[in-house]
Structure formats: C-alpha cells, structure tokens
Amino acid sequence: MALDAPGMTRRTALSLPPGMSLTAWSRLGRQIFIISDSSAWWLGDWLIYGQAQYPDRYKRAIAETSLDYQTLRNYAWVARQFSLPRRREKLSFQHHAEVASLPEPEQEIWLNRAEKGAWSRNELRRRIKAERNGGVAAEVTHIQMNVIAEQKKRWQEAAESTEQDLLVWMVSNLDRAALAALESRESAARSDALPQSA
C-alpha cells in the first residue's frame, strides 16, 4: 500500500508540501493509520505462515523486524483468533485484541457493539469491564515480577503450545490454581466441622 499524497516519505520522516489542504492532510492521516493498523494483521499472518513453513520463526522474525518476542507473539495470537472473514474493516487490530481471549460468540457480540456504536478501543475495554463487574468498572492492579530467564522461556513455550498469549496463559493458570487452593481449604474446613464419631 502506498500513500496517495504529495510529499516525501522516508523510514524516519514524512515531509509534506507547504499549503496542503485540510482535506488532503486528513486523507493522508487516515491512510497512515490504515497502514499502521494493517501492519499488525500483516505481521500476525506472516508469523502464522512462518509457523507452518519454517523452524525458529520467532528468532528469524525478531532479527527481521527488531520487535521483541512477546510483541510478535501477540500479533500472531490475535491474528489466529480471527479468520479473515471475521476481521472487521471498521475496527482496529486493537479492538480485536481486546476481545481475542473471549469465546467466539462473545467476540462477535462485542465487535458488533463496537462497530455499531463506533466505539474506540478504550471504550470497548471499559464496557467489557463494566459488564463483567455488574456495571462497575473493576479496579486493576499491576503486578511486576522478576523471574529467571529459564522460567520465562518455559512459560512462553507452554503458552505457545496452547496457542495462548503469555499473559492470558499465566492469568488463567493462576486463577485455576487459586480456585483449587480455595476449594481444598473449604473442603478441609467442612471436614473439620463434621462431628467426630466416637
């Protein structure tokens, strides 16, 4: 895709002619956005193709793009969640990323709402959180972890083997472990509360 506007493009700059009309300037901004948004889909599809064709695709992709593993992994993960006919032209890649971890029917509901309401990505995120919390936005806590490189590598491989984003994989496994621990504690408490036979 090429920009349909006067000016000079370089990797690190866009030079525009003096006296450019507001209409031309606006059209150019839209074209730049489309290229930027499309590149996330393109990189995701490129990585999916590489998975089927080449070993060590992420090592090669990191060398070719200078993007980090997790960024590339996220592009591929989101692209994998949406077949070509399910991708919405009127919504950004980031809109799709917001709902990618949901079951497909829920993805469709939220994408339909976002498209119909012309919601921004942030508005979509806010509404999903509000619905999950009975109309009240959830408080988000950020956690920073220091882990050994071998652990991170093992977790990334495990997440990739289940075709999940690393963060989604971590949260779902932590939730599962937490529920199991709480159920075990409740079960033990119920056992302790039972009358002891003589």
Side-chain angles (χ1 to χ4, degrees):
M1 176 183 271
L3 294 176
D4 178 26
M8 174 74 80
T9 58
R10 292 186 301 275
R11 178 170 166 74
T12 59
L14 173 65
S15 301
L16 300 175
M20 185 178 213
S21 73
L22 177 59
T23 302
W25 178 82
S26 296
R27 185 175 56 244
L28 178 60
R30 179 73 186 150
Q31 288 179 320
I32 293 168
F33 167 76
I34 289 169
I35 291 169
S36 173
D37 189 58
S38 298
S39 68
W41 288 116
W42 297 340
L43 283 166
D45 291 337
W46 174 67
L47 287 160
I48 292 168
Y49 178 88
Q51 179 180 19
Q53 302 293 322
Y54 312 110
D56 300 327
R57 72 188 180 287
Y58 281 109
K59 187 184 291 183
R60 292 170 188 243
I62 290 167
E64 293 297 326
T65 65
S66 298
L67 294 171
D68 67 29
Y69 170 84
Q70 193 58 49
T71 300
L72 292 169
R73 181 75 183 95
N74 290 345
Y75 289 154
W77 182 75
V78 172
R80 196 175 285 111
Q81 304 311 305
F82 296 95
S83 61
L84 297 182
R86 293 187 57 234
R87 298 177 185 181
R88 310 294 179 97
E89 289 282 332
K90 293 180 180 176
L91 297 176
S92 71
F93 180 86
Q94 294 305 322
H95 282 89
H96 291 79
E98 285 298 322
V99 301
S101 64
L102 300 175
E104 191 171 311
E106 284 187 58
Q107 291 174 352
E108 291 301 311
I109 289 168
W110 284 109
L111 291 177
N112 284 338
R113 289 176 183 172
E115 198 168 27
K116 192 176 224 178
W119 295 345
S120 68
R121 187 278 314 260
N122 288 342
E123 180 66 14
L124 173 61
R125 176 184 289 176
R126 188 187 69 72
R127 290 188 184 232
I128 291 171
K129 284 182 182 177
E131 184 168 301
R132 292 264 151 80
N133 296 299
V136 179
E139 182 182 339
V140 175
T141 302
H142 295 277
I143 299 173
Q144 184 174 348
M145 297 173 55
N146 293 321
V147 297
I148 299 168
E150 291 172 13
Q151 284 179 310
K152 183 181 179 193
K153 182 180 178 193
R154 186 168 52 248
W155 296 348
Q156 285 176 326
E157 288 173 3
E160 187 174 334
S161 73
T162 60
E163 297 189 347
Q164 290 184 6
D165 172 74
L166 177 60
L167 185 58
V168 171
W169 179 86
M170 289 172 66
V171 170
S172 75
N173 280 291
L174 284 170
D175 276 343
R176 224 181 345 265
L179 288 171
L182 293 172
E183 287 173 7
S184 175
R185 184 181 71 185
E186 288 173 11
S187 177
R190 282 193 298 272
S191 296
D192 289 344
L194 291 175
Q196 299 295 322
S197 57

